[in-house]
Amino acid sequence: MHTSSKLTKEFTKKWVKGLQICCSSKKDMDVLERKKKIKLCADIALASAKNATTSWSIALISEAKKNDENEILVDNLLGPESRFKQQKIIRQMNSCHKRVRSKKILKKSCSISQRMKKMGPPKSNLAAYIAKRLVKKRTQVLQRLVPGGESMDEFSLIKEALDYILSLRVQVDVMRNLANATEVLNQSNSSNVFD
Amino acid sequence: MNPQLPNTLQQQCFYNPNDHMFANHSALVKPDPGMDEYWAGLHAGAFSDDQLGYGYMNPNPVAQPVETDQALFVQGNSSSVSASVSPKKRKGQSLQVVSDKEKKIKGCSEGDSRITHDQNSNSKEASNNTSSKDKSKVSEVQKPDYIHVRARRGQATDSHSLAERVRREKISERMKYLQDLVPGCNKITGKAGMLDEIINYVQSLQKQVEFLSMKLATVNPELDFNIDNVFAKEIFQCSTSEFPALGCSSTNSAYFQLNSMDQGGISYCGLDMGINAAEMGLRRSISAPISIPDQTFMDSSCYNQQMQPSGVWDGDIQNLYRMEFELETLIPFQSHQFTGSNEGINMKTET
């Protein structure tokens, strides 16, 4: 309970900060741009609220940094003292990518040879085989959903997914509250104007 | 017998999906016949598959006889791990005894994290491997590299299958965790179905974020976000103890002073002040043209909005409800604003 409220606090603070930075830079944006900015701020705020402790947050941050114009935003949000962390993040992501690539190559070569041998056994235990295939497909989908999921094995993927779910919940709550509060204020403001 | 460790972690943490289980890495798990120490290991968060060496057995069997009816479970870090609830605890030994046959080997997975932290690992080695088809199983930590696993009765004992089994059990424990977290997962038991639910849930959460950011973009003509309002919201979520202090009896002069300040300035110093600024933040949230009774009513309507359920609120809601009722009785309603509070109340009752 306490940890989630802490996370909420952190996230809110960082998100508001990021939004201020965003709106100070550009004056006129259409709805879609605004929406993108909002979402981006929210994501980065969420990731940095985790302080780069989890893999998915690292992945989110590094992805955001790839875009140059976001870099200022990210830097500001993460805080000046986290320069070193950023370096670490970048390095980690690079190594992750290499690992992923080599894994993929290995898998491909293995699977080809395995397929040659494997014609017999699956038939005998068809149900288990099908079940495995199902699970595999789903883990692939989950990998795509969770940021940075490609470079994880099944076990840590689940752990990351859990963490990600919790933080997403926090994010949704905060955003929903803000949206509703803004609506109410707008309503009252407009009704005051008409009075 | 090892004294039961004070379990700081609330057990309801497991069952309350709103709690952030994973972040609390240092928390201990309350022992539970169904749940094992593995959860504590999960909380320790130090899992890495590289560290586990599966199925390595000590070539020198330990002199200590193994009781066949009991499985010895040695926890390396006995001081920081919650003891398992076992009726057959051995007395006078540092070993903790787990009695089930069905207790999984997984202790090794959490033993993993324990190892690295504890120096006085009680390394009574459980005896041997391939020859033993005992009823009991032992997992123990002797060195950081090895997890010693004993085979269950009637099961294969080569290292590969043991490794497989350990891995599978780790995953299934995680799945159980997920069941608590993702709503509506209690009935599903298979891995594929669980993964399906998780995927759906993550997707729906992400879509919600998209939708809400779109909504925010439309509601705010400029990205300014009416900093006061944002402020109030933040303060709401931050502090609970401040709320009882809020009331209509606040000094009115403060309102106008604060409202006349520069918006940017307010927000920044508010962010710094954090929790202490609860009262101030609320007053600031009300824009200047509204008169005082309306302002205090705005408080309550803000309250209403904030009281929509979010997982964070739980215990705070009681305070808020009390406050809100006090406020509403004291303030004369205005008709257009009444609808706002009605919505809030309706939403409250729905949830």
Side-chain angles (χ1 to χ4, degrees), chain A residues 11 24 37-38 40 46 48 63 66-67 82 86 94 100 106 111 117 133 135 140 145 155 159 177 183:
Chain A
F11 169 66
S24 63
K37 287 278 182 185
I38 293 174
L40 179 69
L46 194 64
S48 62
E63 249 190 71
K66 281 184 196 158
N67 199 353
S82 69
Q86 291 180 25
N94 289 338
V100 168
L106 196 59
S111 66
K117 303 176 190 169
R133 288 288 299 267
V135 167
Q140 279 176 4
L145 278 182
F155 183 58
K159 186 170 109 172
N177 284 335
E183 250 183 52

mmCIF file with all atom_site columns, all heavy atoms in Angstrom, chain A residues 11 24 37-38 40 46 48 63 66-67 82 86 94 100 106 111 117 133 135 140 145 155 159 177 183:
data_model
loop_
_atom_site.group_PDB
_atom_site.id
_atom_site.type_symbol
_atom_site.label_atom_id
_atom_site.label_alt_id
_atom_site.label_comp_id
_atom_site.label_asym_id
_atom_site.label_entity_id
_atom_site.label_seq_id
_atom_site.pdbx_PDB_ins_code
_atom_site.Cartn_x
_atom_site.Cartn_y
_atom_site.Cartn_z
_atom_site.occupancy
_atom_site.B_iso_or_equiv
_atom_site.pdbx_formal_charge
_atom_site.auth_seq_id
_atom_site.auth_comp_id
_atom_site.auth_asym_id
_atom_site.auth_atom_id
_atom_site.pdbx_PDB_model_num
ATOM 1   N N   . PHE A 1 11  ? 5.277   9.568   -9.496  1.00 0.00 ? 11  PHE A N   1
ATOM 2   C CA  . PHE A 1 11  ? 4.824   9.663   -10.867 1.00 0.00 ? 11  PHE A CA  1
ATOM 3   C C   . PHE A 1 11  ? 4.152   10.984  -11.115 1.00 0.00 ? 11  PHE A C   1
ATOM 4   O O   . PHE A 1 11  ? 4.400   11.647  -12.126 1.00 0.00 ? 11  PHE A O   1
ATOM 5   C CB  . PHE A 1 11  ? 3.869   8.508   -11.162 1.00 0.00 ? 11  PHE A CB  1
ATOM 6   C CG  . PHE A 1 11  ? 3.147   8.665   -12.455 1.00 0.00 ? 11  PHE A CG  1
ATOM 7   C CD1 . PHE A 1 11  ? 3.834   8.625   -13.642 1.00 0.00 ? 11  PHE A CD1 1
ATOM 8   C CD2 . PHE A 1 11  ? 1.787   8.866   -12.477 1.00 0.00 ? 11  PHE A CD2 1
ATOM 9   C CE1 . PHE A 1 11  ? 3.180   8.774   -14.838 1.00 0.00 ? 11  PHE A CE1 1
ATOM 10  C CE2 . PHE A 1 11  ? 1.121   9.015   -13.681 1.00 0.00 ? 11  PHE A CE2 1
ATOM 11  C CZ  . PHE A 1 11  ? 1.824   8.968   -14.864 1.00 0.00 ? 11  PHE A CZ  1
ATOM 12  N N   . SER A 1 24  ? 6.124   24.652  -22.115 1.00 0.00 ? 24  SER A N   1
ATOM 13  C CA  . SER A 1 24  ? 6.924   25.860  -22.206 1.00 0.00 ? 24  SER A CA  1
ATOM 14  C C   . SER A 1 24  ? 7.633   25.938  -23.551 1.00 0.00 ? 24  SER A C   1
ATOM 15  O O   . SER A 1 24  ? 7.996   27.011  -24.006 1.00 0.00 ? 24  SER A O   1
ATOM 16  C CB  . SER A 1 24  ? 7.937   25.905  -21.070 1.00 0.00 ? 24  SER A CB  1
ATOM 17  O OG  . SER A 1 24  ? 8.824   24.819  -21.189 1.00 0.00 ? 24  SER A OG  1
ATOM 18  N N   . LYS A 1 37  ? 2.317   14.203  -26.645 1.00 0.00 ? 37  LYS A N   1
ATOM 19  C CA  . LYS A 1 37  ? 3.203   14.754  -25.627 1.00 0.00 ? 37  LYS A CA  1
ATOM 20  C C   . LYS A 1 37  ? 2.790   14.296  -24.238 1.00 0.00 ? 37  LYS A C   1
ATOM 21  O O   . LYS A 1 37  ? 3.616   13.941  -23.398 1.00 0.00 ? 37  LYS A O   1
ATOM 22  C CB  . LYS A 1 37  ? 3.161   16.279  -25.676 1.00 0.00 ? 37  LYS A CB  1
ATOM 23  C CG  . LYS A 1 37  ? 3.874   16.859  -26.846 1.00 0.00 ? 37  LYS A CG  1
ATOM 24  C CD  . LYS A 1 37  ? 5.348   16.940  -26.567 1.00 0.00 ? 37  LYS A CD  1
ATOM 25  C CE  . LYS A 1 37  ? 6.081   17.566  -27.723 1.00 0.00 ? 37  LYS A CE  1
ATOM 26  N NZ  . LYS A 1 37  ? 7.520   17.543  -27.514 1.00 0.00 ? 37  LYS A NZ  1
ATOM 27  N N   . ILE A 1 38  ? 1.512   14.322  -24.036 1.00 0.00 ? 38  ILE A N   1
ATOM 28  C CA  . ILE A 1 38  ? 1.019   13.928  -22.715 1.00 0.00 ? 38  ILE A CA  1
ATOM 29  C C   . ILE A 1 38  ? 1.413   12.497  -22.427 1.00 0.00 ? 38  ILE A C   1
ATOM 30  O O   . ILE A 1 38  ? 1.929   12.154  -21.359 1.00 0.00 ? 38  ILE A O   1
ATOM 31  C CB  . ILE A 1 38  ? -0.506  14.093  -22.636 1.00 0.00 ? 38  ILE A CB  1
ATOM 32  C CG1 . ILE A 1 38  ? -0.877  15.553  -22.703 1.00 0.00 ? 38  ILE A CG1 1
ATOM 33  C CG2 . ILE A 1 38  ? -1.047  13.467  -21.378 1.00 0.00 ? 38  ILE A CG2 1
ATOM 34  C CD1 . ILE A 1 38  ? -2.347  15.788  -22.772 1.00 0.00 ? 38  ILE A CD1 1
ATOM 35  N N   . LEU A 1 40  ? 3.691   10.738  -23.774 1.00 0.00 ? 40  LEU A N   1
ATOM 36  C CA  . LEU A 1 40  ? 5.133   10.570  -23.636 1.00 0.00 ? 40  LEU A CA  1
ATOM 37  C C   . LEU A 1 40  ? 5.600   10.984  -22.257 1.00 0.00 ? 40  LEU A C   1
ATOM 38  O O   . LEU A 1 40  ? 6.384   10.279  -21.604 1.00 0.00 ? 40  LEU A O   1
ATOM 39  C CB  . LEU A 1 40  ? 5.828   11.420  -24.703 1.00 0.00 ? 40  LEU A CB  1
ATOM 40  C CG  . LEU A 1 40  ? 7.336   11.365  -24.684 1.00 0.00 ? 40  LEU A CG  1
ATOM 41  C CD1 . LEU A 1 40  ? 7.766   10.003  -25.129 1.00 0.00 ? 40  LEU A CD1 1
ATOM 42  C CD2 . LEU A 1 40  ? 7.907   12.424  -25.591 1.00 0.00 ? 40  LEU A CD2 1
ATOM 43  N N   . LEU A 1 46  ? 6.630   7.654   -15.568 1.00 0.00 ? 46  LEU A N   1
ATOM 44  C CA  . LEU A 1 46  ? 6.446   6.363   -14.928 1.00 0.00 ? 46  LEU A CA  1
ATOM 45  C C   . LEU A 1 46  ? 7.750   5.605   -14.850 1.00 0.00 ? 46  LEU A C   1
ATOM 46  O O   . LEU A 1 46  ? 8.113   5.042   -13.816 1.00 0.00 ? 46  LEU A O   1
ATOM 47  C CB  . LEU A 1 46  ? 5.415   5.559   -15.734 1.00 0.00 ? 46  LEU A CB  1
ATOM 48  C CG  . LEU A 1 46  ? 4.862   4.348   -15.034 1.00 0.00 ? 46  LEU A CG  1
ATOM 49  C CD1 . LEU A 1 46  ? 4.093   4.760   -13.819 1.00 0.00 ? 46  LEU A CD1 1
ATOM 50  C CD2 . LEU A 1 46  ? 3.998   3.558   -15.969 1.00 0.00 ? 46  LEU A CD2 1
ATOM 51  N N   . SER A 1 48  ? 10.756  6.755   -14.964 1.00 0.00 ? 48  SER A N   1
ATOM 52  C CA  . SER A 1 48  ? 11.755  7.351   -14.085 1.00 0.00 ? 48  SER A CA  1
ATOM 53  C C   . SER A 1 48  ? 11.328  7.292   -12.637 1.00 0.00 ? 48  SER A C   1
ATOM 54  O O   . SER A 1 48  ? 12.158  7.360   -11.742 1.00 0.00 ? 48  SER A O   1
ATOM 55  C CB  . SER A 1 48  ? 12.022  8.794   -14.500 1.00 0.00 ? 48  SER A CB  1
ATOM 56  O OG  . SER A 1 48  ? 10.848  9.542   -14.377 1.00 0.00 ? 48  SER A OG  1
ATOM 57  N N   . GLU A 1 63  ? 14.312  3.979   -25.168 1.00 0.00 ? 63  GLU A N   1
ATOM 58  C CA  . GLU A 1 63  ? 13.576  4.215   -26.402 1.00 0.00 ? 63  GLU A CA  1
ATOM 59  C C   . GLU A 1 63  ? 13.230  5.678   -26.573 1.00 0.00 ? 63  GLU A C   1
ATOM 60  O O   . GLU A 1 63  ? 13.284  6.214   -27.679 1.00 0.00 ? 63  GLU A O   1
ATOM 61  C CB  . GLU A 1 63  ? 12.281  3.416   -26.361 1.00 0.00 ? 63  GLU A CB  1
ATOM 62  C CG  . GLU A 1 63  ? 12.243  2.292   -27.338 1.00 0.00 ? 63  GLU A CG  1
ATOM 63  C CD  . GLU A 1 63  ? 10.867  1.698   -27.407 1.00 0.00 ? 63  GLU A CD  1
ATOM 64  O OE1 . GLU A 1 63  ? 9.991   2.378   -27.940 1.00 0.00 ? 63  GLU A OE1 1
ATOM 65  O OE2 . GLU A 1 63  ? 10.709  0.584   -26.900 1.00 0.00 ? 63  GLU A OE2 1
ATOM 66  N N   . LYS A 1 66  ? 16.040  7.823   -27.839 1.00 0.00 ? 66  LYS A N   1
ATOM 67  C CA  . LYS A 1 66  ? 16.494  7.717   -29.219 1.00 0.00 ? 66  LYS A CA  1
ATOM 68  C C   . LYS A 1 66  ? 16.011  8.901   -30.033 1.00 0.00 ? 66  LYS A C   1
ATOM 69  O O   . LYS A 1 66  ? 16.662  9.324   -31.001 1.00 0.00 ? 66  LYS A O   1
ATOM 70  C CB  . LYS A 1 66  ? 15.955  6.423   -29.829 1.00 0.00 ? 66  LYS A CB  1
ATOM 71  C CG  . LYS A 1 66  ? 16.734  5.226   -29.413 1.00 0.00 ? 66  LYS A CG  1
ATOM 72  C CD  . LYS A 1 66  ? 16.235  3.982   -30.109 1.00 0.00 ? 66  LYS A CD  1
ATOM 73  C CE  . LYS A 1 66  ? 16.764  2.763   -29.380 1.00 0.00 ? 66  LYS A CE  1
ATOM 74  N NZ  . LYS A 1 66  ? 15.968  1.592   -29.645 1.00 0.00 ? 66  LYS A NZ  1
ATOM 75  N N   . ASN A 1 67  ? 14.876  9.410   -29.627 1.00 0.00 ? 67  ASN A N   1
ATOM 76  C CA  . ASN A 1 67  ? 14.362  10.575  -30.311 1.00 0.00 ? 67  ASN A CA  1
ATOM 77  C C   . ASN A 1 67  ? 15.015  11.819  -29.729 1.00 0.00 ? 67  ASN A C   1
ATOM 78  O O   . ASN A 1 67  ? 14.952  12.060  -28.536 1.00 0.00 ? 67  ASN A O   1
ATOM 79  C CB  . ASN A 1 67  ? 12.846  10.626  -30.108 1.00 0.00 ? 67  ASN A CB  1
ATOM 80  C CG  . ASN A 1 67  ? 12.181  11.499  -31.121 1.00 0.00 ? 67  ASN A CG  1
ATOM 81  O OD1 . ASN A 1 67  ? 12.865  12.158  -31.885 1.00 0.00 ? 67  ASN A OD1 1
ATOM 82  N ND2 . ASN A 1 67  ? 10.873  11.498  -31.109 1.00 0.00 ? 67  ASN A ND2 1
ATOM 83  N N   . SER A 1 82  ? 21.418  11.764  -12.273 1.00 0.00 ? 82  SER A N   1
ATOM 84  C CA  . SER A 1 82  ? 21.344  10.435  -12.829 1.00 0.00 ? 82  SER A CA  1
ATOM 85  C C   . SER A 1 82  ? 22.097  10.302  -14.136 1.00 0.00 ? 82  SER A C   1
ATOM 86  O O   . SER A 1 82  ? 21.778  9.464   -14.964 1.00 0.00 ? 82  SER A O   1
ATOM 87  C CB  . SER A 1 82  ? 19.894  10.059  -13.050 1.00 0.00 ? 82  SER A CB  1
ATOM 88  O OG  . SER A 1 82  ? 19.378  10.854  -14.094 1.00 0.00 ? 82  SER A OG  1
ATOM 89  N N   . GLN A 1 86  ? 22.170  7.069   -16.662 1.00 0.00 ? 86  GLN A N   1
ATOM 90  C CA  . GLN A 1 86  ? 21.831  7.082   -18.077 1.00 0.00 ? 86  GLN A CA  1
ATOM 91  C C   . GLN A 1 86  ? 22.872  6.354   -18.887 1.00 0.00 ? 86  GLN A C   1
ATOM 92  O O   . GLN A 1 86  ? 22.553  5.614   -19.817 1.00 0.00 ? 86  GLN A O   1
ATOM 93  C CB  . GLN A 1 86  ? 21.713  8.519   -18.565 1.00 0.00 ? 86  GLN A CB  1
ATOM 94  C CG  . GLN A 1 86  ? 20.506  9.224   -17.988 1.00 0.00 ? 86  GLN A CG  1
ATOM 95  C CD  . GLN A 1 86  ? 20.408  10.627  -18.488 1.00 0.00 ? 86  GLN A CD  1
ATOM 96  O OE1 . GLN A 1 86  ? 20.920  10.930  -19.563 1.00 0.00 ? 86  GLN A OE1 1
ATOM 97  N NE2 . GLN A 1 86  ? 19.787  11.492  -17.736 1.00 0.00 ? 86  GLN A NE2 1
ATOM 98  N N   . ASN A 1 94  ? 22.457  -1.502  -25.136 1.00 0.00 ? 94  ASN A N   1
ATOM 99  C CA  . ASN A 1 94  ? 23.264  -1.977  -26.251 1.00 0.00 ? 94  ASN A CA  1
ATOM 100 C C   . ASN A 1 94  ? 23.611  -3.440  -26.108 1.00 0.00 ? 94  ASN A C   1
ATOM 101 O O   . ASN A 1 94  ? 23.511  -4.231  -27.046 1.00 0.00 ? 94  ASN A O   1
ATOM 102 C CB  . ASN A 1 94  ? 24.550  -1.140  -26.351 1.00 0.00 ? 94  ASN A CB  1
ATOM 103 C CG  . ASN A 1 94  ? 24.236  0.254   -26.837 1.00 0.00 ? 94  ASN A CG  1
ATOM 104 O OD1 . ASN A 1 94  ? 23.204  0.474   -27.454 1.00 0.00 ? 94  ASN A OD1 1
ATOM 105 N ND2 . ASN A 1 94  ? 25.121  1.192   -26.545 1.00 0.00 ? 94  ASN A ND2 1
ATOM 106 N N   . VAL A 1 100 ? 20.171  -10.108 -27.868 1.00 0.00 ? 100 VAL A N   1
ATOM 107 C CA  . VAL A 1 100 ? 18.938  -10.528 -28.537 1.00 0.00 ? 100 VAL A CA  1
ATOM 108 C C   . VAL A 1 100 ? 19.247  -11.006 -29.937 1.00 0.00 ? 100 VAL A C   1
ATOM 109 O O   . VAL A 1 100 ? 18.765  -12.043 -30.391 1.00 0.00 ? 100 VAL A O   1
ATOM 110 C CB  . VAL A 1 100 ? 17.944  -9.363  -28.570 1.00 0.00 ? 100 VAL A CB  1
ATOM 111 C CG1 . VAL A 1 100 ? 16.799  -9.685  -29.499 1.00 0.00 ? 100 VAL A CG1 1
ATOM 112 C CG2 . VAL A 1 100 ? 17.432  -9.097  -27.184 1.00 0.00 ? 100 VAL A CG2 1
ATOM 113 N N   . LEU A 1 106 ? 20.986  -17.836 -33.088 1.00 0.00 ? 106 LEU A N   1
ATOM 114 C CA  . LEU A 1 106 ? 21.183  -19.178 -32.547 1.00 0.00 ? 106 LEU A CA  1
ATOM 115 C C   . LEU A 1 106 ? 19.903  -19.991 -32.629 1.00 0.00 ? 106 LEU A C   1
ATOM 116 O O   . LEU A 1 106 ? 19.897  -21.156 -33.012 1.00 0.00 ? 106 LEU A O   1
ATOM 117 C CB  . LEU A 1 106 ? 21.650  -19.059 -31.097 1.00 0.00 ? 106 LEU A CB  1
ATOM 118 C CG  . LEU A 1 106 ? 22.260  -20.319 -30.492 1.00 0.00 ? 106 LEU A CG  1
ATOM 119 C CD1 . LEU A 1 106 ? 23.458  -20.744 -31.294 1.00 0.00 ? 106 LEU A CD1 1
ATOM 120 C CD2 . LEU A 1 106 ? 22.647  -20.055 -29.063 1.00 0.00 ? 106 LEU A CD2 1
ATOM 121 N N   . SER A 1 111 ? 16.637  -24.291 -34.498 1.00 0.00 ? 111 SER A N   1
ATOM 122 C CA  . SER A 1 111 ? 15.293  -24.772 -34.799 1.00 0.00 ? 111 SER A CA  1
ATOM 123 C C   . SER A 1 111 ? 15.269  -25.499 -36.135 1.00 0.00 ? 111 SER A C   1
ATOM 124 O O   . SER A 1 111 ? 14.516  -26.451 -36.316 1.00 0.00 ? 111 SER A O   1
ATOM 125 C CB  . SER A 1 111 ? 14.310  -23.609 -34.809 1.00 0.00 ? 111 SER A CB  1
ATOM 126 O OG  . SER A 1 111 ? 14.618  -22.755 -35.882 1.00 0.00 ? 111 SER A OG  1
ATOM 127 N N   . LYS A 1 117 ? 14.936  -33.262 -37.024 1.00 0.00 ? 117 LYS A N   1
ATOM 128 C CA  . LYS A 1 117 ? 14.890  -34.469 -36.207 1.00 0.00 ? 117 LYS A CA  1
ATOM 129 C C   . LYS A 1 117 ? 13.525  -34.710 -35.628 1.00 0.00 ? 117 LYS A C   1
ATOM 130 O O   . LYS A 1 117 ? 13.163  -35.811 -35.270 1.00 0.00 ? 117 LYS A O   1
ATOM 131 C CB  . LYS A 1 117 ? 15.889  -34.322 -35.048 1.00 0.00 ? 117 LYS A CB  1
ATOM 132 C CG  . LYS A 1 117 ? 17.291  -34.062 -35.493 1.00 0.00 ? 117 LYS A CG  1
ATOM 133 C CD  . LYS A 1 117 ? 18.170  -33.826 -34.270 1.00 0.00 ? 117 LYS A CD  1
ATOM 134 C CE  . LYS A 1 117 ? 19.529  -33.327 -34.693 1.00 0.00 ? 117 LYS A CE  1
ATOM 135 N NZ  . LYS A 1 117 ? 20.297  -32.839 -33.548 1.00 0.00 ? 117 LYS A NZ  1
ATOM 136 N N   . ARG A 1 133 ? 3.081   -25.028 -27.724 1.00 0.00 ? 133 ARG A N   1
ATOM 137 C CA  . ARG A 1 133 ? 3.035   -24.047 -28.793 1.00 0.00 ? 133 ARG A CA  1
ATOM 138 C C   . ARG A 1 133 ? 2.197   -22.843 -28.395 1.00 0.00 ? 133 ARG A C   1
ATOM 139 O O   . ARG A 1 133 ? 2.541   -21.696 -28.646 1.00 0.00 ? 133 ARG A O   1
ATOM 140 C CB  . ARG A 1 133 ? 2.432   -24.676 -30.054 1.00 0.00 ? 133 ARG A CB  1
ATOM 141 C CG  . ARG A 1 133 ? 3.330   -25.659 -30.725 1.00 0.00 ? 133 ARG A CG  1
ATOM 142 C CD  . ARG A 1 133 ? 4.474   -24.956 -31.390 1.00 0.00 ? 133 ARG A CD  1
ATOM 143 N NE  . ARG A 1 133 ? 4.001   -24.035 -32.410 1.00 0.00 ? 133 ARG A NE  1
ATOM 144 C CZ  . ARG A 1 133 ? 3.868   -24.360 -33.690 1.00 0.00 ? 133 ARG A CZ  1
ATOM 145 N NH1 . ARG A 1 133 ? 4.148   -25.578 -34.099 1.00 0.00 ? 133 ARG A NH1 1
ATOM 146 N NH2 . ARG A 1 133 ? 3.457   -23.469 -34.558 1.00 0.00 ? 133 ARG A NH2 1
ATOM 147 N N   . VAL A 1 135 ? 1.529   -21.707 -25.399 1.00 0.00 ? 135 VAL A N   1
ATOM 148 C CA  . VAL A 1 135 ? 2.223   -20.882 -24.412 1.00 0.00 ? 135 VAL A CA  1
ATOM 149 C C   . VAL A 1 135 ? 3.302   -20.049 -25.083 1.00 0.00 ? 135 VAL A C   1
ATOM 150 O O   . VAL A 1 135 ? 3.489   -18.866 -24.789 1.00 0.00 ? 135 VAL A O   1
ATOM 151 C CB  . VAL A 1 135 ? 2.820   -21.783 -23.309 1.00 0.00 ? 135 VAL A CB  1
ATOM 152 C CG1 . VAL A 1 135 ? 3.793   -21.002 -22.468 1.00 0.00 ? 135 VAL A CG1 1
ATOM 153 C CG2 . VAL A 1 135 ? 1.732   -22.352 -22.451 1.00 0.00 ? 135 VAL A CG2 1
ATOM 154 N N   . GLN A 1 140 ? 5.299   -14.758 -26.702 1.00 0.00 ? 140 GLN A N   1
ATOM 155 C CA  . GLN A 1 140 ? 5.802   -13.840 -27.721 1.00 0.00 ? 140 GLN A CA  1
ATOM 156 C C   . GLN A 1 140 ? 4.983   -12.555 -27.746 1.00 0.00 ? 140 GLN A C   1
ATOM 157 O O   . GLN A 1 140 ? 5.531   -11.440 -27.811 1.00 0.00 ? 140 GLN A O   1
ATOM 158 C CB  . GLN A 1 140 ? 5.766   -14.496 -29.091 1.00 0.00 ? 140 GLN A CB  1
ATOM 159 C CG  . GLN A 1 140 ? 6.939   -15.397 -29.335 1.00 0.00 ? 140 GLN A CG  1
ATOM 160 C CD  . GLN A 1 140 ? 6.824   -16.113 -30.659 1.00 0.00 ? 140 GLN A CD  1
ATOM 161 O OE1 . GLN A 1 140 ? 5.898   -15.872 -31.419 1.00 0.00 ? 140 GLN A OE1 1
ATOM 162 N NE2 . GLN A 1 140 ? 7.760   -16.992 -30.917 1.00 0.00 ? 140 GLN A NE2 1
ATOM 163 N N   . LEU A 1 145 ? 4.402   -6.695  -25.878 1.00 0.00 ? 145 LEU A N   1
ATOM 164 C CA  . LEU A 1 145 ? 3.645   -5.700  -25.126 1.00 0.00 ? 145 LEU A CA  1
ATOM 165 C C   . LEU A 1 145 ? 4.487   -5.000  -24.076 1.00 0.00 ? 145 LEU A C   1
ATOM 166 O O   . LEU A 1 145 ? 4.483   -3.772  -23.960 1.00 0.00 ? 145 LEU A O   1
ATOM 167 C CB  . LEU A 1 145 ? 2.463   -6.368  -24.426 1.00 0.00 ? 145 LEU A CB  1
ATOM 168 C CG  . LEU A 1 145 ? 1.237   -6.592  -25.272 1.00 0.00 ? 145 LEU A CG  1
ATOM 169 C CD1 . LEU A 1 145 ? 0.162   -7.213  -24.428 1.00 0.00 ? 145 LEU A CD1 1
ATOM 170 C CD2 . LEU A 1 145 ? 0.737   -5.285  -25.837 1.00 0.00 ? 145 LEU A CD2 1
ATOM 171 N N   . PHE A 1 155 ? 10.810  -16.491 -17.615 1.00 0.00 ? 155 PHE A N   1
ATOM 172 C CA  . PHE A 1 155 ? 10.655  -16.283 -16.187 1.00 0.00 ? 155 PHE A CA  1
ATOM 173 C C   . PHE A 1 155 ? 10.714  -14.814 -15.806 1.00 0.00 ? 155 PHE A C   1
ATOM 174 O O   . PHE A 1 155 ? 9.836   -14.273 -15.131 1.00 0.00 ? 155 PHE A O   1
ATOM 175 C CB  . PHE A 1 155 ? 11.761  -17.061 -15.481 1.00 0.00 ? 155 PHE A CB  1
ATOM 176 C CG  . PHE A 1 155 ? 11.671  -16.977 -14.008 1.00 0.00 ? 155 PHE A CG  1
ATOM 177 C CD1 . PHE A 1 155 ? 10.539  -17.387 -13.353 1.00 0.00 ? 155 PHE A CD1 1
ATOM 178 C CD2 . PHE A 1 155 ? 12.716  -16.469 -13.272 1.00 0.00 ? 155 PHE A CD2 1
ATOM 179 C CE1 . PHE A 1 155 ? 10.460  -17.315 -11.989 1.00 0.00 ? 155 PHE A CE1 1
ATOM 180 C CE2 . PHE A 1 155 ? 12.629  -16.399 -11.909 1.00 0.00 ? 155 PHE A CE2 1
ATOM 181 C CZ  . PHE A 1 155 ? 11.515  -16.809 -11.275 1.00 0.00 ? 155 PHE A CZ  1
ATOM 182 N N   . LYS A 1 159 ? 7.914   -11.666 -14.406 1.00 0.00 ? 159 LYS A N   1
ATOM 183 C CA  . LYS A 1 159 ? 8.183   -10.739 -13.307 1.00 0.00 ? 159 LYS A CA  1
ATOM 184 C C   . LYS A 1 159 ? 8.068   -9.302  -13.775 1.00 0.00 ? 159 LYS A C   1
ATOM 185 O O   . LYS A 1 159 ? 7.440   -8.449  -13.143 1.00 0.00 ? 159 LYS A O   1
ATOM 186 C CB  . LYS A 1 159 ? 9.589   -11.015 -12.774 1.00 0.00 ? 159 LYS A CB  1
ATOM 187 C CG  . LYS A 1 159 ? 9.935   -10.213 -11.552 1.00 0.00 ? 159 LYS A CG  1
ATOM 188 C CD  . LYS A 1 159 ? 11.225  -10.708 -10.953 1.00 0.00 ? 159 LYS A CD  1
ATOM 189 C CE  . LYS A 1 159 ? 12.303  -9.673  -11.203 1.00 0.00 ? 159 LYS A CE  1
ATOM 190 N NZ  . LYS A 1 159 ? 13.549  -9.926  -10.522 1.00 0.00 ? 159 LYS A NZ  1
ATOM 191 N N   . ASN A 1 177 ? -7.822  10.604  -12.599 1.00 0.00 ? 177 ASN A N   1
ATOM 192 C CA  . ASN A 1 177 ? -8.164  11.626  -11.619 1.00 0.00 ? 177 ASN A CA  1
ATOM 193 C C   . ASN A 1 177 ? -7.959  13.018  -12.180 1.00 0.00 ? 177 ASN A C   1
ATOM 194 O O   . ASN A 1 177 ? -8.794  13.916  -11.999 1.00 0.00 ? 177 ASN A O   1
ATOM 195 C CB  . ASN A 1 177 ? -7.310  11.458  -10.367 1.00 0.00 ? 177 ASN A CB  1
ATOM 196 C CG  . ASN A 1 177 ? -7.786  10.300  -9.529  1.00 0.00 ? 177 ASN A CG  1
ATOM 197 O OD1 . ASN A 1 177 ? -8.954  9.946   -9.607  1.00 0.00 ? 177 ASN A OD1 1
ATOM 198 N ND2 . ASN A 1 177 ? -6.908  9.708   -8.769  1.00 0.00 ? 177 ASN A ND2 1
ATOM 199 N N   . GLU A 1 183 ? -12.112 18.289  -15.773 1.00 0.00 ? 183 GLU A N   1
ATOM 200 C CA  . GLU A 1 183 ? -13.464 18.437  -16.297 1.00 0.00 ? 183 GLU A CA  1
ATOM 201 C C   . GLU A 1 183 ? -14.351 19.193  -15.343 1.00 0.00 ? 183 GLU A C   1
ATOM 202 O O   . GLU A 1 183 ? -15.078 20.111  -15.721 1.00 0.00 ? 183 GLU A O   1
ATOM 203 C CB  . GLU A 1 183 ? -14.065 17.056  -16.529 1.00 0.00 ? 183 GLU A CB  1
ATOM 204 C CG  . GLU A 1 183 ? -14.236 16.707  -17.960 1.00 0.00 ? 183 GLU A CG  1
ATOM 205 C CD  . GLU A 1 183 ? -14.901 15.356  -18.101 1.00 0.00 ? 183 GLU A CD  1
ATOM 206 O OE1 . GLU A 1 183 ? -15.962 15.190  -17.478 1.00 0.00 ? 183 GLU A OE1 1
ATOM 207 O OE2 . GLU A 1 183 ? -14.344 14.526  -18.803 1.00 0.00 ? 183 GLU A OE2 1
#
